[in-house]
Amino acid sequence: MALKKVSLVLAKQEVTYGTDPVPVPGANAILVSSPEVKVDGERLVREFDSATLGALGHVIGIKSATVTFSTELKGSGTANAGGAGDVPEIDPLLQACGFALTATAESGGGVGDGDLTYDPVSTNRKSVTLYIYLGDVLHKITGAYGNFSLDLNAGKHGVINWEFQGLYIKPTDAAIPGGAAYNAQAPWPYLSANLTLGAYSPIFEGLSIDIGNSLSVRKDANSGSGVVGVSITERDVSGSLNPESVPEATHPFWTDWENANSKALSTLIGGIDGNKITITAPKVLLNEINWGDRDETRIYETPITLARNSGDDEIKIKFH
């Protein structure tokens, strides 16, 4: 009997695309919830006329795999930050979603002012191999790229929802190995968020951001599965914010929407060195403004676009 809550996910960055770097529990375990694997196989139906109406057996053609799960948003817990050993547990996942890491070491021993910053990139992206143990079956997914969305809600810890696509490898029987080592740092609830939209700090409950990566399967008849790889072909960062409504003189939401005015956004998750994450976006535009209510208080429900300012800079995620 395979229990749904008993599973293990390992993730390791690939040196060569599609080549398994062999992740191990002691170094590459990711603490996740609700891991799922969907194997996508093209069913080739054989539709021919014959003396009977019965169907012929189908054949499976092109195959690929999709993996989904959720993680907490948290730092590594090391207060100095900026060193190779200070990266968050989700580092290989972020880089496989088209983000590049810049590590800034602390200015002096014990100062603790280093940081690890992730910026979106359009070239030289890093792929990842995923091992997903579900019950007594192991799925190995190589050459994976992905997308993620981030949910931040007042008093809750940040949640990241991930989706990866990669190369199909036939699953094998394998018991979940022991020795999984997870980062011990607990997530910080989304409080004292210091969220600003331009110079305005709204009263709001939640912020969501979707990186909006489009994943494309690269078909190849020379490949045994019919797929030679997966690519990130587009990025369209969007999200939503739900501030309390205010007069235009307090903050011009309607004017900003009508004139497509952009405002810089910044927010903080966490309250101690080593477990602080700052998210910034230079140009946030309101897609529309919808009236809503929160506990009988009128609010704006505002889908947003996070646009680039100059190059790959729609969003920045800094661990410090």
Side-chain angles (χ1 to χ4, degrees), residues 154-241:
K156 311 291 186 181
H157 64 260
V159 174
I160 309 179
N161 302 303
W162 306 86
E163 178 180 341
F164 290 90
Q165 283 190 335
L167 302 175
Y168 169 78
I169 298 173
K170 184 179 179 180
T172 58
D173 290 343
I176 296 177
Y182 302 107
N183 180 273
Q185 178 62 54
W188 197 275
Y190 192 46
L191 300 167
S192 300
N194 294 336
L195 185 138
T196 54
L197 194 61
Y200 178 62
S201 181
I203 298 173
F204 76 107
E205 182 179 18
L207 168 69
S208 68
I209 297 173
D210 188 336
I211 299 305
N213 286 338
S214 295
L215 303 175
S216 176
V217 172
R218 299 168 57 205
K219 297 178 181 178
D220 177 28
N222 280 331
S223 170
S225 66
V227 175
V228 71
V230 174
S231 297
I232 299 174
T233 56
E234 190 175 0
R235 183 178 65 242
D236 185 10
V237 189
S238 62
S240 64
L241 185 66

Side-chain angles (χ1 to χ4, degrees), residues 50-122:
S50 67
T52 176
L53 294 177
L56 294 170
H58 64 265
V59 175
I60 300 298
I62 290 174
K63 296 175 284 293
S64 62
T66 300
V67 180
T68 58
F69 52 81
S70 299
T71 67
E72 300 167 326
L73 177 63
K74 64 180 184 180
S76 66
T78 52
N80 60 322
D86 303 330
V87 296
E89 192 172 79
I90 59 174
D91 169 78
L93 306 180
L94 287 169
Q95 296 203 48
C97 289
F99 280 72
L101 168 63
T102 300
T104 302
E106 60 181 340
S107 59
V111 174
D113 59 354
D115 65 74
L116 301 151
T117 300
Y118 292 85
D119 297 283
V121 292
S122 296

Side-chain angles (χ1 to χ4, degrees), residues 29-52:
I30 307 288
L31 188 64
V32 308
S33 64
S34 302
E36 299 286 348
V37 178
K38 182 179 185 299
V39 175
D40 302 302
E42 183 181 9
R43 192 168 67 95
L44 307 179
V45 178
R46 302 162 63 204
E47 294 183 306
F48 294 94
D49 297 337
S50 67
T52 176

